Amino acid sequence: MRVFVLLSLLAAGCGHLLPGGNRCPASGGPQWRELRSQHFALDTDLPEADAALWVKDLEQLEATVTGALSNRKVDLPGRLRVVVPASLDTFAAVAPSLYALGYFTANSFFHEPTIVLHPGARTGDPEVIAHELGHFISFHLFPRHPDWFEEGLVQFAQTVANPNPQYHNLAGLMPNLRIHDMQHGAADERVSLQQLFGWKDQQMGLLELWSWGLFHWLWNNKPEQLDDYQRRLLDKTPPDKAWALAFPEFDPAKKGAAEKLEALIDAHLREAKFDSYYEVKATSNAAYTARLLSAAQVHVLLLDVKVSWVRRGARSLGFEDDKKNTITEQLNFALQDDPNDPVALVRLKKMRNEPLLPAARTAAAAHPDDWRAQSILGTLETPGGPEQEAALRKAVQLNPDNAYTQNRLAAALQARPQEAMPFARRAVQLTPDDPYNLETLMALDAAVKSCAEARELYDRASDLKAKGSDELDALLQKDLLQCPK
């Protein structure tokens, strides 16, 4: 009888498997924890001593990459979520490619900017980490900029994480991936300036190479003009106008100017003289606090990051494009560990087309101090009602770093624009590349007739509208009607 009971328990435990087939904490698997430092929330099942090394390196990379991207002191708001599974099987199950060492997504349940990393990336290829950090940081430095500039700037800065100790903290080297491209004949192909300047939401190695080539050539040959261009972007000058003012000799509107610059970049890549660089010195704080994650939270977390490799504007595969039985299985595992986990409960109800609000109220009552439960409840309560406002205010109080919840509260308070404004500004501050957050703040600015600010936000949101939809475009146009020219 004892043997039968033991076998039954083992069988039940083995049923609680994470993506990739490893056991979750409730079934005897390793304990997951969240380590919160100054700029990061690291979720991992690595031993805490190893996780602490990740925190230390992440904070140092953040300081060094920020220093390479900008020559001014920048204090980034909020915390960037980083997920590092200890198991290669678990990482492979959530990564979009066998060859990916990391990917960025903002398409999680609460739209949190998140980097998912291979457990070997920290020591094996930290440039991958620096690259993804650079994309996240770039929007905090330059809220409005063209894609080629972001890609070139980030690649220029990422080499501070070159794994060779001889090249530590050096910006301006050739990134390892671009070296691979060059060795395989990428320099034999050309890209037109029109293609490069019109780059939108595509991930193409050749465009990435030429973005780096253009930025690297400008840094070496036109440093004062490049500084001028970046200052104009900081001053919110439209990118096309900023380029024409900073580089009048390469203004595409002038006959032959584009072809002249294309030839210069082509020659720069073919000559392959990339020996100019500079050292970035930065200090960081590796202090952190740690808390254990429940098995339910781990199931939800890993299901949440099972998306395609996305950067700004790319399409997420997400839950609905995966096999529903796998999704249901993971959500059921979470609910067996915690019957009132707010995300698992509401997500499963939604898949079954069952009422969501009663489930959200149940989860919030069971977890009154869980910001996720309060945020979900506030999203589902009657719009503009006191219950919605109370829930969202509590969610913001419990977690002031979630832009989605800040934006939802601002939208709930839109009838009182002055009261809503701080929450909308905080949402944009946390995620300056989210067009929906920009739209909310734009609507509030338009409502109080701050029309210059509203138009600037309209332009920024329009640049990012590939992230949105026809619905977003309609909202932006409606907001702008309150500020006729």
Side-chain angles (χ1 to χ4, degrees), residues 232-293:
R232 292 181 188 278
L233 290 179
L234 284 170
D235 291 338
K236 302 177 182 179
T237 304
D240 290 348
K241 184 178 180 181
W243 176 267
L245 291 170
F247 302 103
E249 70 273 38
F250 299 129
D251 182 356
K254 296 181 179 178
K255 185 177 180 180
E259 291 78 7
K260 179 183 177 181
L261 184 55
E262 289 164 17
L264 289 167
I265 303 168
D266 183 57
H268 185 62
L269 291 173
R270 288 176 183 276
E271 290 170 3
K273 294 180 179 179
F274 310 130
D275 53 358
S276 56
Y277 49 81
Y278 67 97
E279 184 179 8
V280 180
K281 296 182 179 180
T283 58
S284 59
N285 180 1
Y288 68 87
T289 59
R291 70 179 182 92
L292 301 182
L293 296 180

Side-chain angles (χ1 to χ4, degrees), residues 17-19 32 83 90 93-94 103 105 107-109 116 295-308 316-320 322-334 343-344 347-348 351:
L17 300 179
L18 299 174
W32 281 71
V83 180
T90 302
V94 300
Y103 63 93
T105 177
N107 292 286
S108 63
F109 193 84
V116 185
Q297 289 171 327
V298 177
H299 282 292
V300 167
L301 170 72
L302 294 178
L303 196 55
D304 213 15
V305 299
K306 188 174 174 59
V307 295
S308 67
S316 167
L317 296 179
F319 291 96
E320 284 68 29
D322 203 348
K323 294 180 180 179
K324 286 192 174 182
N325 60 338
T326 303
I327 300 168
T328 303
E329 178 184 65
Q330 288 295 313
L331 293 176
N332 277 323
F333 286 161
V343 176
R347 189 131 230 170
L348 197 56
M351 290 180 66

Side-chain angles (χ1 to χ4, degrees), residues 74-95:
V74 178
D75 187 17
L76 297 181
R79 290 180 177 86
L80 176 64
R81 186 163 301 282
V82 177
V83 180
V84 183
S87 163
L88 296 180
D89 290 336
T90 302
F91 176 79
V94 300

Side-chain angles (χ1 to χ4, degrees), residues 93-114:
V94 300
S97 166
L98 294 175
Y99 306 104
L101 288 180
Y103 63 93
F104 179 89
T105 177
N107 292 286
S108 63
F109 193 84
F110 293 101
H111 303 275
E112 289 185 292
T114 302

Side-chain angles (χ1 to χ4, degrees), residues 189-242:
E189 300 182 63
R190 290 188 65 161
V191 170
S192 71
L193 202 64
Q194 182 180 9
Q195 285 177 291
L196 197 59
F197 281 14
W199 183 10
K200 194 75 174 174
D201 307 327
Q202 307 169 63
Q203 289 304 308
M204 294 177 61
L206 195 57
L207 285 173
E208 291 176 340
L209 174 63
W210 273 66
S211 293
W212 176 83
L214 172 55
F215 190 93
H216 193 269
W217 185 87
L218 291 172
W219 186 81
N220 279 274
N221 297 280
K222 304 285 183 178
E224 293 182 0
Q225 287 172 267
L226 180 59
D227 285 344
D228 180 47
Y229 177 63
Q230 293 181 94
R231 280 195 297 271
R232 292 181 188 278
L233 290 179
L234 284 170
D235 291 338
K236 302 177 182 179
T237 304
D240 290 348
K241 184 178 180 181

Side-chain angles (χ1 to χ4, degrees), residues 43-60:
D43 295 324
T44 184
D45 58 336
L46 289 164
E48 186 167 350
D50 294 337
L53 293 176
W54 268 92
V55 169
K56 179 182 178 182
D57 284 3
L58 284 169
E59 286 291 347
Q60 183 60 32

